[in-house]
Amino acid sequence: MLKPVDELTFTDDGMFQAVMHNPEICGEIIERLLHVRVKKVEYPELEKTIAPYYSSKSIRLDVYLKDEDKVIDVECQSYPQDYLGKRTRYYQSMIDIDSLMKGQDYSELKDSYILFICTYDPFKNSENKPYGLPCYTFKNTCSENHEVDLNDNCLKVLYNSSAYEKADDEKIRGFLHYISTNEPGEDDFSRRLCALVEQIKQNEKFRSDYAAMNLHDRDITRRAKNEGRQEKAVEDAVMLIKKYNAKPEVAAKDMNAPLELVLEKIKV
């Protein structure tokens, strides 16, 4: 269930996308965390869906930016995700397919960055203990000689805000502190970010859109629960038929299950 709008923080779904729709804030977050120059951010594309083939798994990106020479995907994770490494791998492949048109040369592939802002440590050792780094940066290098770079111009960076105290860069430390505690502290950018979050909460259109999203999610949850109850009723009806030779019509009625679904289950 979604939070009440007045309790939202920067990392909450809906609020994150709304904040990142501010070009100045979005550009500064990217420059601060990736140390790359963002020439211009006019309209960040929010929740972009990439589905190149009808049979392939589509992805929905939180914030997807294109520059003259780079593409940047920014994701916010406020709870642990399984297979995060494979997720970034798939995101990368889909982004490349989306950015290179048919007939273009591989040299025309733009530099790509996948940036995850996590409120938890995304990596643990064999003893299930977090490594405790504030930032994890991955790029393809040669295992036999780390001086050999694949030069695929692809970078994956994952931040762990729970380890903000260990960040050497003062600006990054201030930002991660805000993400982790929801307190802006002395960092000027975090204060501006915090103020923007509070401003968005009072925006009537955002409140209306957020309420609509809340109702939509409730409908999905309610539908899933109803489908689960229906599936159990069908299973119970089939059990009566197979174990006690009950007539399908009687079993379906007793278990409050749709007769057509009971009959389909029997035929399987």
Tab-separated table of all heavy atoms in Angstrom, residues 40-82:
chain	number	residue	atom	x	y	z
A	40	LYS	N	22.815	19.373	-21.221
A	40	LYS	CA	21.485	19.947	-21.185
A	40	LYS	C	20.461	18.877	-20.830
A	40	LYS	O	20.464	17.784	-21.391
A	40	LYS	CB	21.126	20.569	-22.541
A	40	LYS	CG	19.848	21.395	-22.520
A	40	LYS	CD	19.635	22.065	-23.873
A	40	LYS	CE	18.417	22.978	-23.823
A	40	LYS	NZ	18.167	23.623	-25.147
A	41	VAL	N	19.586	19.181	-19.876
A	41	VAL	CA	18.494	18.289	-19.509
A	41	VAL	C	17.205	19.082	-19.658
A	41	VAL	O	16.881	19.917	-18.813
A	41	VAL	CB	18.625	17.762	-18.060
A	41	VAL	CG1	17.443	16.867	-17.711
A	41	VAL	CG2	19.933	17.006	-17.872
A	42	GLU	N	16.507	18.844	-20.732
A	42	GLU	CA	15.262	19.578	-20.928
A	42	GLU	C	14.084	18.838	-20.309
A	42	GLU	O	13.420	19.346	-19.417
A	42	GLU	CB	15.005	19.798	-22.426
A	42	GLU	CG	15.767	20.978	-22.993
A	42	GLU	CD	15.309	21.331	-24.393
A	42	GLU	OE1	14.233	20.860	-24.794
A	42	GLU	OE2	16.044	22.057	-25.068
A	43	TYR	N	13.836	17.638	-20.806
A	43	TYR	CA	12.709	16.867	-20.316
A	43	TYR	C	13.149	15.433	-20.057
A	43	TYR	O	13.113	14.609	-20.969
A	43	TYR	CB	11.555	16.894	-21.314
A	43	TYR	CG	10.996	18.277	-21.525
A	43	TYR	CD1	11.324	19.008	-22.657
A	43	TYR	CD2	10.164	18.854	-20.579
A	43	TYR	CE1	10.830	20.282	-22.846
A	43	TYR	CE2	9.663	20.128	-20.765
A	43	TYR	CZ	9.993	20.834	-21.897
A	43	TYR	OH	9.500	22.103	-22.080
A	44	PRO	N	13.543	15.136	-18.848
A	44	PRO	CA	13.888	13.752	-18.537
A	44	PRO	C	12.696	12.857	-18.852
A	44	PRO	O	11.573	13.186	-18.540
A	44	PRO	CB	14.161	13.793	-17.026
A	44	PRO	CG	14.470	15.218	-16.731
A	44	PRO	CD	13.655	16.020	-17.687
A	45	GLU	N	12.984	11.737	-19.497
A	45	GLU	CA	11.902	10.806	-19.826
A	45	GLU	C	11.702	9.882	-18.639
A	45	GLU	O	12.592	9.126	-18.259
A	45	GLU	CB	12.253	10.006	-21.079
A	45	GLU	CG	11.093	9.209	-21.611
A	45	GLU	CD	11.376	8.667	-23.004
A	45	GLU	OE1	12.420	9.013	-23.562
A	45	GLU	OE2	10.548	7.911	-23.499
A	46	LEU	N	10.535	9.945	-18.042
A	46	LEU	CA	10.271	9.199	-16.823
A	46	LEU	C	9.538	7.896	-17.131
A	46	LEU	O	8.658	7.838	-17.977
A	46	LEU	CB	9.437	10.035	-15.857
A	46	LEU	CG	10.015	11.427	-15.539
A	46	LEU	CD1	9.126	12.144	-14.542
A	46	LEU	CD2	11.431	11.306	-15.003
A	47	GLU	N	9.919	6.845	-16.413
A	47	GLU	CA	9.301	5.535	-16.553
A	47	GLU	C	9.220	5.112	-18.020
A	47	GLU	O	8.168	4.726	-18.531
A	47	GLU	CB	7.907	5.514	-15.905
A	47	GLU	CG	7.947	5.711	-14.404
A	47	GLU	CD	6.602	5.436	-13.752
A	47	GLU	OE1	5.575	5.557	-14.434
A	47	GLU	OE2	6.587	5.104	-12.570
A	48	LYS	N	10.337	5.235	-18.707
A	48	LYS	CA	10.383	4.822	-20.112
A	48	LYS	C	10.321	3.305	-20.213
A	48	LYS	O	11.016	2.586	-19.493
A	48	LYS	CB	11.676	5.312	-20.775
A	48	LYS	CG	11.834	4.825	-22.220
A	48	LYS	CD	13.152	5.293	-22.801
A	48	LYS	CE	13.364	4.694	-24.179
A	48	LYS	NZ	12.368	5.155	-25.162
A	49	THR	N	9.490	2.810	-21.111
A	49	THR	CA	9.384	1.384	-21.350
A	49	THR	C	10.108	1.029	-22.642
A	49	THR	O	9.888	1.664	-23.673
A	49	THR	CB	7.914	0.941	-21.444
A	49	THR	OG1	7.260	1.228	-20.197
A	49	THR	CG2	7.816	-0.549	-21.716
A	50	ILE	N	10.984	0.021	-22.577
A	50	ILE	CA	11.684	-0.464	-23.754
A	50	ILE	C	11.272	-1.913	-23.977
A	50	ILE	O	11.481	-2.763	-23.120
A	50	ILE	CB	13.215	-0.377	-23.589
A	50	ILE	CG1	13.647	1.071	-23.333
A	50	ILE	CG2	13.930	-0.927	-24.818
A	50	ILE	CD1	15.131	1.232	-23.076
A	51	ALA	N	10.659	-2.174	-25.125
A	51	ALA	CA	10.231	-3.535	-25.475
A	51	ALA	C	10.493	-3.731	-26.966
A	51	ALA	O	9.588	-3.560	-27.781
A	51	ALA	CB	8.763	-3.750	-25.145
A	52	PRO	N	11.710	-4.090	-27.362
A	52	PRO	CA	12.064	-4.165	-28.778
A	52	PRO	C	11.337	-5.256	-29.559
A	52	PRO	O	11.092	-5.113	-30.741
A	52	PRO	CB	13.565	-4.404	-28.751
A	52	PRO	CG	13.827	-5.031	-27.423
A	52	PRO	CD	12.826	-4.411	-26.486
A	53	TYR	N	11.001	-6.354	-28.892
A	53	TYR	CA	10.306	-7.445	-29.559
A	53	TYR	C	9.131	-7.884	-28.702
A	53	TYR	O	9.197	-7.871	-27.463
A	53	TYR	CB	11.240	-8.646	-29.782
A	53	TYR	CG	12.549	-8.266	-30.425
A	53	TYR	CD1	13.733	-8.294	-29.700
A	53	TYR	CD2	12.598	-7.868	-31.765
A	53	TYR	CE1	14.941	-7.937	-30.295
A	53	TYR	CE2	13.794	-7.502	-32.359
A	53	TYR	CZ	14.953	-7.541	-31.621
A	53	TYR	OH	16.139	-7.177	-32.190
A	54	TYR	N	8.049	-8.294	-29.346
A	54	TYR	CA	6.849	-8.650	-28.600
A	54	TYR	C	7.088	-9.832	-27.663
A	54	TYR	O	6.433	-9.967	-26.636
A	54	TYR	CB	5.694	-8.975	-29.564
A	54	TYR	CG	5.798	-10.322	-30.239
A	54	TYR	CD1	5.197	-11.448	-29.684
A	54	TYR	CD2	6.486	-10.470	-31.437
A	54	TYR	CE1	5.287	-12.682	-30.299
A	54	TYR	CE2	6.578	-11.698	-32.054
A	54	TYR	CZ	5.971	-12.802	-31.484
A	54	TYR	OH	6.071	-14.026	-32.090
A	55	SER	N	8.077	-10.666	-28.013
A	55	SER	CA	8.340	-11.859	-27.206
A	55	SER	C	9.397	-11.641	-26.135
A	55	SER	O	9.662	-12.530	-25.339
A	55	SER	CB	8.770	-13.023	-28.114
A	55	SER	OG	9.932	-12.670	-28.836
A	56	SER	N	10.040	-10.473	-26.118
A	56	SER	CA	11.111	-10.224	-25.143
A	56	SER	C	10.563	-9.491	-23.920
A	56	SER	O	9.546	-8.813	-23.988
A	56	SER	CB	12.244	-9.400	-25.778
A	56	SER	OG	11.762	-8.127	-26.151
A	57	LYS	N	11.251	-9.653	-22.812
A	57	LYS	CA	10.844	-8.997	-21.574
A	57	LYS	C	11.110	-7.495	-21.676
A	57	LYS	O	12.217	-7.076	-21.994
A	57	LYS	CB	11.631	-9.583	-20.397
A	57	LYS	CG	11.273	-8.971	-19.044
A	57	LYS	CD	12.090	-9.624	-17.942
A	57	LYS	CE	11.827	-8.987	-16.580
A	57	LYS	NZ	10.443	-9.143	-16.152
A	58	SER	N	10.078	-6.694	-21.421
A	58	SER	CA	10.246	-5.247	-21.474
A	58	SER	C	10.797	-4.745	-20.141
A	58	SER	O	10.729	-5.439	-19.122
A	58	SER	CB	8.910	-4.547	-21.775
A	58	SER	OG	7.983	-4.770	-20.724
A	59	ILE	N	11.365	-3.547	-20.165
A	59	ILE	CA	11.846	-2.928	-18.931
A	59	ILE	C	11.224	-1.547	-18.803
A	59	ILE	O	10.919	-0.895	-19.803
A	59	ILE	CB	13.392	-2.816	-18.898
A	59	ILE	CG1	13.904	-1.948	-20.069
A	59	ILE	CG2	14.032	-4.188	-18.910
A	59	ILE	CD1	15.393	-1.655	-20.002
A	60	ARG	N	11.019	-1.127	-17.583
A	60	ARG	CA	10.518	0.225	-17.323
A	60	ARG	C	11.548	0.956	-16.470
A	60	ARG	O	11.816	0.561	-15.334
A	60	ARG	CB	9.167	0.179	-16.610
A	60	ARG	CG	8.638	1.562	-16.237
A	60	ARG	CD	7.179	1.536	-15.860
A	60	ARG	NE	6.346	1.245	-17.020
A	60	ARG	CZ	5.023	1.151	-16.965
A	60	ARG	NH1	4.394	1.287	-15.815
A	60	ARG	NH2	4.325	0.894	-18.049
A	61	LEU	N	12.147	1.966	-17.041
A	61	LEU	CA	13.216	2.699	-16.382
A	61	LEU	C	12.634	3.888	-15.625
A	61	LEU	O	11.744	4.580	-16.115
A	61	LEU	CB	14.240	3.180	-17.409
A	61	LEU	CG	14.789	2.097	-18.358
A	61	LEU	CD1	15.708	2.722	-19.389
A	61	LEU	CD2	15.513	1.023	-17.572
A	62	ASP	N	13.156	4.151	-14.424
A	62	ASP	CA	12.670	5.278	-13.625
A	62	ASP	C	12.906	6.600	-14.340
A	62	ASP	O	11.997	7.393	-14.526
A	62	ASP	CB	13.362	5.296	-12.254
A	62	ASP	CG	12.777	4.259	-11.303
A	62	ASP	OD1	11.757	3.656	-11.660
A	62	ASP	OD2	13.350	4.059	-10.222
A	63	VAL	N	14.154	6.858	-14.716
A	63	VAL	CA	14.520	8.100	-15.405
A	63	VAL	C	15.517	7.752	-16.506
A	63	VAL	O	16.557	7.148	-16.243
A	63	VAL	CB	15.147	9.124	-14.435
A	63	VAL	CG1	15.505	10.398	-15.184
A	63	VAL	CG2	14.195	9.440	-13.288
A	64	TYR	N	15.206	8.143	-17.722
A	64	TYR	CA	16.028	7.778	-18.876
A	64	TYR	C	16.384	9.052	-19.631
A	64	TYR	O	15.507	9.740	-20.145
A	64	TYR	CB	15.237	6.822	-19.761
A	64	TYR	CG	15.993	6.242	-20.929
A	64	TYR	CD1	17.089	5.415	-20.722
A	64	TYR	CD2	15.581	6.476	-22.233
A	64	TYR	CE1	17.769	4.853	-21.788
A	64	TYR	CE2	16.252	5.916	-23.309
A	64	TYR	CZ	17.338	5.099	-23.082
A	64	TYR	OH	18.005	4.532	-24.141
A	65	LEU	N	17.685	9.385	-19.673
A	65	LEU	CA	18.141	10.629	-20.283
A	65	LEU	C	19.022	10.351	-21.482
A	65	LEU	O	19.791	9.389	-21.491
A	65	LEU	CB	18.944	11.450	-19.268
A	65	LEU	CG	18.334	11.671	-17.894
A	65	LEU	CD1	19.332	12.381	-17.011
A	65	LEU	CD2	17.062	12.467	-18.007
A	66	LYS	N	18.911	11.191	-22.484
A	66	LYS	CA	19.792	11.106	-23.638
A	66	LYS	C	20.489	12.438	-23.827
A	66	LYS	O	19.870	13.496	-23.755
A	66	LYS	CB	19.006	10.752	-24.904
A	66	LYS	CG	18.593	9.295	-24.982
A	66	LYS	CD	17.996	8.970	-26.335
A	66	LYS	CE	17.635	7.498	-26.446
A	66	LYS	NZ	17.074	7.156	-27.776
A	67	ASP	N	21.798	12.371	-24.056
A	67	ASP	CA	22.600	13.547	-24.349
A	67	ASP	C	23.209	13.338	-25.738
A	67	ASP	O	22.963	12.318	-26.380
A	67	ASP	CB	23.697	13.686	-23.277
A	67	ASP	CG	24.217	15.111	-23.163
A	67	ASP	OD1	24.058	15.858	-24.138
A	67	ASP	OD2	24.784	15.459	-22.120
A	68	GLU	N	24.001	14.286	-26.181
A	68	GLU	CA	24.621	14.155	-27.496
A	68	GLU	C	25.524	12.930	-27.582
A	68	GLU	O	25.622	12.301	-28.633
A	68	GLU	CB	25.433	15.417	-27.810
A	68	GLU	CG	24.584	16.671	-27.986
A	68	GLU	CD	25.447	17.889	-28.253
A	68	GLU	OE1	26.682	17.728	-28.334
A	68	GLU	OE2	24.898	18.993	-28.374
A	69	ASP	N	26.188	12.617	-26.487
A	69	ASP	CA	27.159	11.534	-26.532
A	69	ASP	C	26.956	10.477	-25.461
A	69	ASP	O	27.805	9.609	-25.280
A	69	ASP	CB	28.574	12.101	-26.403
A	69	ASP	CG	28.752	12.901	-25.113
A	69	ASP	OD1	27.747	13.118	-24.401
A	69	ASP	OD2	29.887	13.315	-24.827
A	70	LYS	N	25.840	10.522	-24.743
A	70	LYS	CA	25.634	9.551	-23.667
A	70	LYS	C	24.157	9.302	-23.403
A	70	LYS	O	23.295	10.127	-23.709
A	70	LYS	CB	26.324	10.030	-22.381
A	70	LYS	CG	25.737	11.291	-21.787
A	70	LYS	CD	26.445	11.676	-20.488
A	70	LYS	CE	27.822	12.252	-20.754
A	70	LYS	NZ	27.786	13.592	-21.390
A	71	VAL	N	23.882	8.115	-22.829
A	71	VAL	CA	22.542	7.787	-22.325
A	71	VAL	C	22.703	7.409	-20.863
A	71	VAL	O	23.677	6.743	-20.476
A	71	VAL	CB	21.870	6.642	-23.111
A	71	VAL	CG1	21.479	7.092	-24.491
A	71	VAL	CG2	22.765	5.418	-23.167
A	72	ILE	N	21.763	7.838	-20.041
A	72	ILE	CA	21.862	7.617	-18.594
A	72	ILE	C	20.536	7.105	-18.066
A	72	ILE	O	19.491	7.727	-18.276
A	72	ILE	CB	22.245	8.915	-17.860
A	72	ILE	CG1	23.560	9.484	-18.419
A	72	ILE	CG2	22.377	8.663	-16.362
A	72	ILE	CD1	23.877	10.877	-17.898
A	73	ASP	N	20.583	5.982	-17.393
A	73	ASP	CA	19.411	5.449	-16.704
A	73	ASP	C	19.619	5.618	-15.215
A	73	ASP	O	20.628	5.161	-14.663
A	73	ASP	CB	19.220	3.965	-17.054
A	73	ASP	CG	18.223	3.287	-16.128
A	73	ASP	OD1	17.200	3.919	-15.802
A	73	ASP	OD2	18.472	2.125	-15.735
A	74	VAL	N	18.674	6.269	-14.537
A	74	VAL	CA	18.771	6.491	-13.095
A	74	VAL	C	17.634	5.740	-12.408
A	74	VAL	O	16.459	5.962	-12.712
A	74	VAL	CB	18.689	7.988	-12.739
A	74	VAL	CG1	18.987	8.185	-11.251
A	74	VAL	CG2	19.647	8.804	-13.590
A	75	GLU	N	17.989	4.857	-11.481
A	75	GLU	CA	17.001	4.064	-10.751
A	75	GLU	C	17.143	4.314	-9.261
A	75	GLU	O	18.252	4.538	-8.759
A	75	GLU	CB	17.212	2.569	-11.030
A	75	GLU	CG	17.176	2.171	-12.488
A	75	GLU	CD	15.781	2.251	-13.078
A	75	GLU	OE1	14.802	1.962	-12.367
A	75	GLU	OE2	15.672	2.625	-14.264
A	76	CYS	N	16.014	4.278	-8.569
A	76	CYS	CA	16.028	4.412	-7.111
A	76	CYS	C	15.457	3.141	-6.502
A	76	CYS	O	14.339	2.723	-6.855
A	76	CYS	CB	15.207	5.630	-6.692
A	76	CYS	SG	15.353	6.017	-4.930
A	77	GLN	N	16.215	2.512	-5.609
A	77	GLN	CA	15.792	1.266	-4.974
A	77	GLN	C	15.712	1.465	-3.466
A	77	GLN	O	16.730	1.683	-2.811
A	77	GLN	CB	16.780	0.141	-5.293
A	77	GLN	CG	16.889	-0.204	-6.758
A	77	GLN	CD	15.669	-0.923	-7.283
A	77	GLN	OE1	14.969	-1.601	-6.533
A	77	GLN	NE2	15.392	-0.770	-8.556
A	78	SER	N	14.503	1.390	-2.929
A	78	SER	CA	14.324	1.589	-1.493
A	78	SER	C	14.140	0.278	-0.738
A	78	SER	O	13.939	0.287	0.474
A	78	SER	CB	13.128	2.517	-1.228
A	78	SER	OG	11.957	2.011	-1.837
A	79	TYR	N	14.195	-0.846	-1.450
A	79	TYR	CA	14.129	-2.152	-0.792
A	79	TYR	C	14.945	-3.145	-1.610
A	79	TYR	O	15.107	-2.985	-2.824
A	79	TYR	CB	12.683	-2.632	-0.645
A	79	TYR	CG	11.919	-2.693	-1.940
A	79	TYR	CD1	11.895	-3.853	-2.706
A	79	TYR	CD2	11.207	-1.595	-2.401
A	79	TYR	CE1	11.198	-3.927	-3.884
A	79	TYR	CE2	10.510	-1.646	-3.584
A	79	TYR	CZ	10.499	-2.821	-4.323
A	79	TYR	OH	9.814	-2.872	-5.514
A	80	PRO	N	15.476	-4.192	-0.967
A	80	PRO	CA	16.362	-5.133	-1.659
A	80	PRO	C	15.689	-5.789	-2.855
A	80	PRO	O	14.509	-6.139	-2.816
A	80	PRO	CB	16.699	-6.158	-0.570
A	80	PRO	CG	16.537	-5.408	0.712
A	80	PRO	CD	15.386	-4.478	0.481
A	81	GLN	N	16.469	-5.958	-3.926
A	81	GLN	CA	16.001	-6.599	-5.144
A	81	GLN	C	16.858	-7.824	-5.425
A	81	GLN	O	18.072	-7.793	-5.261
A	81	GLN	CB	16.098	-5.629	-6.328
A	81	GLN	CG	15.178	-4.438	-6.239
A	81	GLN	CD	13.786	-4.756	-6.772
A	81	GLN	OE1	13.510	-5.874	-7.180
A	81	GLN	NE2	12.914	-3.762	-6.750
A	82	ASP	N	16.212	-8.913	-5.852
A	82	ASP	CA	16.954	-10.104	-6.232
A	82	ASP	C	17.618	-9.894	-7.595
A	82	ASP	O	17.084	-9.195	-8.448
A	82	ASP	CB	16.019	-11.313	-6.308
A	82	ASP	CG	15.478	-11.708	-4.937
A	82	ASP	OD1	16.184	-11.470	-3.945
A	82	ASP	OD2	14.352	-12.232	-4.880
